[in-house]
């Protein structure tokens, strides 16, 4: 909250009504996930990170509503998380929704979890990428999106690997 809004503290400590009163950059309201879906309107894939506990079920339900009622496809979504429990829960709820294992520590562990949860992607921090572990992930049938690559030199480095996507705060640099 402190970094992006005029609020302070943890987002989980706020009610939705309180969050809607805050501003991002003194101009924008914090959108709900449903509002993000309406804004994107199938123009690109949406990567949804499960950050909190017990977030898998409501996110899966919302995605299912958009697939059923709004003519979206499961391919419009990737659900990712660092949290083992949320990945486990999500993988049991709906295997049609693409799943990604986030990691800041170990590509090998992310691959193991991805196999366990039948995930299609791993999302390692860019500093973890090597030619060998990218090839190993591909050999295990996994796609790779890396995060948060902001500096030009880092962007150029990760472009050398056979990966699907680069997550950045500055997409115009890619």
């Amino acid at each position: 909250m402190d970094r992006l809004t005029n609020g302070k503290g943890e987002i989980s400590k706020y009610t939705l009504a309180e969050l809607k009163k805050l501003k991002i950059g003194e101009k924008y309201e914090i959108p709900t996930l449903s509002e993000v879906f309406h804004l994107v309107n199938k123009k690109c894939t949406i990567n949804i990170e499960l950050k909190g506990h017990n977030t898998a079920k409501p996110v899966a339900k919302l995605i299912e509503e958009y697939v059923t009622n709004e003519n979206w496809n499961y391919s419009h979504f990737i659900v990712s998380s660092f949290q083992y429990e949320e990945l486990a829960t999500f993988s049991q709820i709906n295997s049609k929704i693409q799943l990604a294992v986030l990691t800041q520590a170990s590509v090998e562990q992310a691959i193991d979890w991805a196999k366990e949860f039948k995930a299609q992607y791993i999302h390692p921090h860019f500093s973890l990428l090597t030619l060998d572990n990218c090839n190993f992930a591909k050999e295990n049938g996994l796609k790779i999106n890396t995060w948060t690559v902001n500096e030009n030199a880092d962007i150029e480095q990760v472009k050398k690997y056979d990966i699907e996507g680069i997550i950045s705060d500055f997409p115009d640099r890619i």
Side-chain angles (χ1 to χ4, degrees):
M1 299 296 292
D2 301 15
R3 185 170 55 93
L4 296 176
T5 73
N6 58 341
K8 301 241 181 261
E10 297 177 34
I11 195 168
S12 62
K13 305 288 186 207
Y14 287 80
T15 66
L16 178 58
E18 291 169 332
L19 289 171
K20 286 298 191 180
K21 292 177 185 173
L22 300 176
K23 296 293 180 198
I24 301 169
E26 300 178 14
K27 185 175 179 182
Y28 300 103
E29 181 180 283
I30 298 171
T32 63
L33 188 53
S34 183
E35 289 169 338
V36 170
F37 290 0
H38 283 290
L39 179 67
V40 171
N41 194 24
K42 299 180 267 189
K43 293 178 189 138
C44 64
T45 301
I46 299 176
N47 177 47
I48 304 164
E49 182 181 346
L50 302 176
K51 289 185 175 272
H53 296 290
N54 302 313
T55 52
K57 288 179 183 176
V59 169
K61 182 180 177 191
L62 184 62
I63 291 171
E64 192 62 43
E65 287 175 19
Y66 275 77
V67 168
T68 303
N69 302 324
E70 302 292 332
N71 202 31
W72 286 59
N73 295 313
Y74 291 115
S75 63
H76 288 119
F77 306 98
I78 299 173
V79 174
S80 62
S81 187
F82 289 101
Q83 297 181 33
Y84 182 93
E85 296 81 15
E86 293 305 311
L87 291 166
T89 300
F90 204 92
S91 70
Q92 294 169 6
I93 294 171
N94 190 333
S95 62
K96 297 177 205 162
I97 301 168
Q98 299 177 102
L99 199 57
V101 178
L102 275 160
T103 185
Q104 190 169 355
S106 169
V107 171
E108 292 75 17
Q109 181 188 50
I111 292 169
D112 289 344
W113 285 14
K115 288 180 186 177
E116 182 177 346
F117 303 130
K118 297 181 177 61
Q120 293 77 17
Y121 290 86
I122 59 169
H123 289 179
H125 188 266
F126 74 92
S127 65
L128 298 175
L129 293 181
T130 66
L131 186 58
D132 286 342
N133 64 25
C134 287
N135 288 337
F136 185 60
K138 295 291 183 176
E139 289 165 9
N140 280 277
L142 296 166
K143 300 174 188 172
I144 303 168
N145 293 320
T146 191
W147 59 275
T148 298
V149 193
N150 289 333
E151 301 302 323
N152 289 327
D154 297 328
I155 291 168
E156 292 310 310
Q157 178 61 37
V158 299
K159 282 182 175 180
K160 295 176 184 176
Y161 302 121
D162 182 22
I163 62 174
E164 279 61 43
I166 299 171
I167 300 166
S168 177
D169 294 326
F170 303 100
D172 55 312
R173 294 180 184 173
I174 298 176

